[in-house]
Amino acid sequence: MDLGKKTLRRRSFVALSWIMTIPFGMVSFGAAVSMSDGVDVDAFAVMAACLGVIAVARRILGSRITLGESELAIVNPVVTYTVPYGMIAAVSGGTGGTLTILTRQADEIHSTGFGGSLIDHFVGSTDRAVEQIKCRLKHRPEHSGKDDMQRRFTVAWFADTCGVGALFCAASAVIVGM
């Protein structure tokens, strides 16, 4: 079995990410173009709001699970958990349909990318993801050399860039409005 990297994510998250990015990006671009004849407080406010929406949407909709050769990574909007396969005690769909990883130290890690929803009850993407993870666990290496779960801040370059842009535009709106 090929144990290369595999990313699990809902197709709807990818589609929704672009559905949020393109229109709000176009409105932000239009607001920037409207300032070609002079600086406008309202244009800066519109750009700040649009870029802020894009930043939040891309962070949430960028949630996923990455299956590596010896560990899996649960990428949530703020924190990414990297768990060696040897530390995983159980994988389930959770009580509300949310994909949950239970570690041998009794830590429960919930995946935002596979959170419970009414639509998923019928589509079953969480159940398919649970099965893919369980299949990977059956073929896991005996010992990966890593014994600790790692927590780190999730890096989302596009979302973070939009967030910084939103802060810049908001500050500019305040300064220009004085």
Side-chain angles (χ1 to χ4, degrees):
M1 177 178 184
D2 178 27
L3 290 178
K5 267 193 167 183
K6 182 174 184 173
T7 301
L8 306 176
R9 66 172 19 145
R10 285 187 171 155
R11 288 186 194 124
S12 62
F13 274 30
V14 175
L16 286 171
S17 179
W18 286 109
I19 288 170
M20 296 297 289
T21 301
I22 292 171
F24 281 97
M26 289 172 59
V27 170
S28 182
F29 179 75
V33 169
S34 75
M35 290 195 300
S36 62
D37 59 343
V39 178
D40 183 12
V41 174
D42 292 336
F44 274 124
V46 166
M47 290 187 322
C50 288
L51 290 173
V53 167
I54 292 170
V56 170
R58 294 293 291 232
R59 269 209 170 267
I60 293 169
L61 298 171
S63 301
R64 62 196 175 277
I65 295 177
T66 302
L67 302 174
E69 290 187 27
S70 61
E71 61 194 16
L72 68 83
I74 299 105
V75 181
N76 285 333
V78 179
V79 178
T80 296
Y81 299 91
T82 305
V83 185
Y85 291 131
M87 283 191 63
I88 298 173
V91 180
S92 69
T95 55
T98 300
L99 191 142
T100 304
I101 306 287
L102 179 65
T103 66
R104 297 200 187 283
Q105 284 76 24
D107 292 319
E108 275 191 10
I109 305 168
H110 303 283
S111 172
T112 302
F114 290 95
S117 71
L118 180 61
I119 294 171
D120 189 57
H121 178 71
F122 299 105
V123 175
S125 60
T126 298
D127 294 333
R128 284 193 306 274
V130 167
E131 290 307 313
Q132 290 180 5
I133 294 169
K134 285 181 177 179
C135 181
R136 183 63 66 109
L137 289 174
K138 288 178 188 175
H139 301 294
R140 68 180 163 213
E142 290 299 318
H143 184 69
S144 65
K146 297 180 183 178
D147 294 326
D148 294 331
M149 176 178 67
Q150 297 174 353
R151 291 179 186 93
R152 60 183 162 80
F153 181 71
T154 299
V155 177
W157 292 108
F158 190 78
D160 295 344
T161 301
C162 288
V164 169
L167 291 174
F168 173 78
C169 290
S172 297
V174 170
I175 291 169
V176 169
M178 292 180 146

